[in-house]
């Protein structure tokens, strides 16, 4: 691929775009409706709150207080963050709210959030697709897989390559034959 095809700095050129650019543009309108100026809080929520709350909580809405006329940009009140969480997590999260607020503000680099309101609602999670069922491989396919991995000296690596070969052979619609 020539270098000019990969150049994304000029409009109208073809090339690879980072997934974050595409997702950020798609999520931005929905985030603005919920009070988020950027997608950063939603996108980096698991990094901000850590593994203890990554799967059981989600930022719902960021509510900024109204500023009276004549107040500058430097004089602002921090926002109220509404966090959606599952039932049993609410009590534990309540006790750790000061730490969570501190982590959010450290992420943004200024006092963005002053308070957190917890609402107990189910957390929407994307559906996980079920793994496809593998068909049983034929003895000739098993032999072909072992022959392909026979040149590997490391026993652990050879076993892993054989498992991969069996999985590939089991997903194929027609039996794999020796070459």
């Amino acid at each position: 691929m020539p270098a000019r095809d990969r150049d994304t700095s000029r409009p109208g050129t073809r090339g690879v775009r980072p997934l974050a650019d595409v997702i950020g543009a798609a999520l931005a309108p929905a985030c603005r409706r919920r009070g988020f100026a950027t997608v950063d809080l939603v996108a980096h929520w698991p990094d901000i709150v850590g593994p203890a709350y990554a799967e059981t909580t989600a930022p719902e809405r960021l509510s900024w207080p109204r500023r009276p006329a004549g107040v500058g940009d430097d004089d602002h009140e921090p926002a109220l963050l509404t966090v959606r969480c599952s039932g049993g997590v609410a009590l534990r999260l309540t006790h750790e709210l000061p730490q969570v607020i501190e982590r959010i503000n450290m992420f943004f680099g200024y006092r963005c959030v002053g308070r957190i309101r917890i609402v107990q609602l189910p957390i929407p999670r994307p559906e996980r697709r079920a793994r496809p069922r593998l068909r049983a491989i034929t003895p000739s396919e098993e032999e072909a897989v072992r022959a392909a991995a026979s040149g590997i000296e490391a026993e652990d690596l050879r076993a892993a390559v054989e498992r991969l070969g069996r999985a590939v052979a089991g997903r194929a619609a027609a039996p794999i034959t020796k070459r």
Side-chain angles (χ1 to χ4, degrees):
M1 173 183 268
R4 64 178 165 79
D5 288 344
R6 284 178 285 180
D7 183 16
T8 58
S9 62
R10 294 178 297 172
T13 60
R14 296 183 339 181
V16 179
R17 291 181 58 197
L19 185 59
D21 292 349
V22 177
I23 290 176
L27 284 178
C31 287
R32 273 192 224 98
R33 280 194 301 273
R34 298 213 175 241
F36 300 107
T38 65
V39 185
D40 292 337
L41 185 63
V42 176
H44 296 287
W45 184 251
D47 299 329
I48 294 170
V49 296
Y53 298 115
E55 295 292 320
T56 56
T57 63
E60 180 72 18
R61 179 178 296 276
L62 192 60
S63 304
W64 293 94
R66 297 202 171 167
R67 285 190 286 180
V71 175
D73 289 337
D74 295 336
D75 303 325
H76 76 280
E77 292 282 326
L80 167 69
L81 176 64
T82 304
V83 175
R84 175 186 284 225
C85 70
S86 56
V89 179
L91 180 63
R92 187 177 61 179
L93 180 63
T94 302
H95 291 290
E96 296 182 12
L97 282 180
Q99 291 86 2
V100 173
I101 291 171
E102 182 180 341
R103 292 184 73 159
I104 293 168
N105 291 336
M106 281 180 21
F107 176 79
F108 283 107
Y110 71 99
R111 192 166 177 234
C112 175
V113 174
R115 295 184 316 144
I116 294 180
R117 179 176 56 207
I118 299 172
V119 292
Q120 292 185 18
L121 296 170
I123 306 298
R125 296 288 173 213
E127 289 183 23
R128 292 187 178 179
R129 294 188 319 187
R131 285 187 171 180
R133 295 213 169 207
L134 302 178
R135 65 173 176 77
I137 62 173
T138 64
S140 63
E141 288 175 324
E142 177 70 31
E143 185 180 319
V145 167
R146 287 184 190 223
S150 65
I152 301 173
E153 294 179 18
E155 187 175 328
D156 294 341
L157 181 59
R158 183 176 54 250
V161 169
E162 287 178 359
R163 279 194 309 273
L164 176 63
R166 284 188 207 99
V168 169
R171 285 185 71 161
I176 298 175
T177 58
K178 280 189 192 177
R179 291 184 193 209

